[in-house]
Amino acid sequence: MNLNEETIQAWVDKTLFTYHWWLGVILIIVPYILWFKFRKRKSADRLHYAGLFVALASSTLDYVGTFFGLWKYDYEVIPIVPTYTPFSFAILPITVMFILQIKPKINPFLKAFAFAVFSLIALPIVKGIGIYDPVKWNYFYSFIIQYIMYLIAHYLGTRNRFAELKDQK
């Protein structure tokens, strides 16, 4: 048996259909249901643009952090994805999209602060549940990263430099 097969088998034996796995599945499905129900449809494209940035940035940073052993996840929802899927592809991008659409005139630095505080609350909770282990990581680093990530997403989601794709003569 090769290493990939052993990894999949270990995931099936120790993770699949456990309480932690079901929690991860719920943390993916519920945010998307809420998003599809409460999103501002007329602004969805620009919000999705910002959300895509957050998903790509967070999954890349998550991959780098787990690769270098800064933190680890003990219960992956999808074994072939090296990041915790509910955070990178559901919770973080959808939270940013909701924050962007709610009270759009509020100072983005205040919104970034609120989003970053979210990480200071959420990370100890998922550590306590046993999903996340900050091996060589300080929660304050996540605060700074989330703060900057929100500001970039805000910039991307509020810019107006998109032209229609038409033949230009």
Side-chain angles (χ1 to χ4, degrees), residues 9-128:
Q9 191 59 49
W11 177 79
V12 168
D13 294 342
K14 300 200 185 304
T15 301
L16 185 62
F17 303 124
T18 65
Y19 150 76
H20 291 98
W21 183 83
W22 281 111
L23 178 62
V25 170
I26 289 167
L27 289 175
I28 293 170
I29 294 171
V30 170
Y32 277 100
I33 290 171
L34 293 172
W35 175 248
F36 285 115
K37 183 169 176 66
F38 296 110
R39 76 188 186 280
K40 291 184 179 177
R41 285 169 174 73
K42 290 185 179 181
S43 300
D45 291 341
R46 73 175 52 253
L47 293 169
H48 290 155
Y49 181 56
L52 178 62
F53 161 74
V54 172
L56 292 174
S58 63
S59 63
T60 300
L61 292 170
D62 212 8
Y63 174 73
V64 170
T66 55
F67 180 83
F68 286 109
L70 301 176
W71 59 82
K72 67 178 184 159
Y73 299 106
D74 292 327
Y75 296 94
E76 292 89 359
V77 176
I78 303 169
I80 58 172
V81 178
T83 64
Y84 192 62
T85 308
F87 292 158
S88 297
F89 295 102
I91 295 170
L92 294 177
I94 291 174
T95 300
V96 165
M97 292 187 297
F98 272 126
I99 293 171
L100 284 169
Q101 81 174 8
I102 296 169
K103 303 272 189 198
K105 301 291 183 197
I106 290 180
N107 185 322
F109 295 101
L110 290 175
K111 286 184 164 188
F113 182 79
F115 179 66
V117 167
F118 170 74
S119 71
L120 292 178
I121 296 168
L123 289 175
I125 292 171
V126 293
K127 180 182 188 280

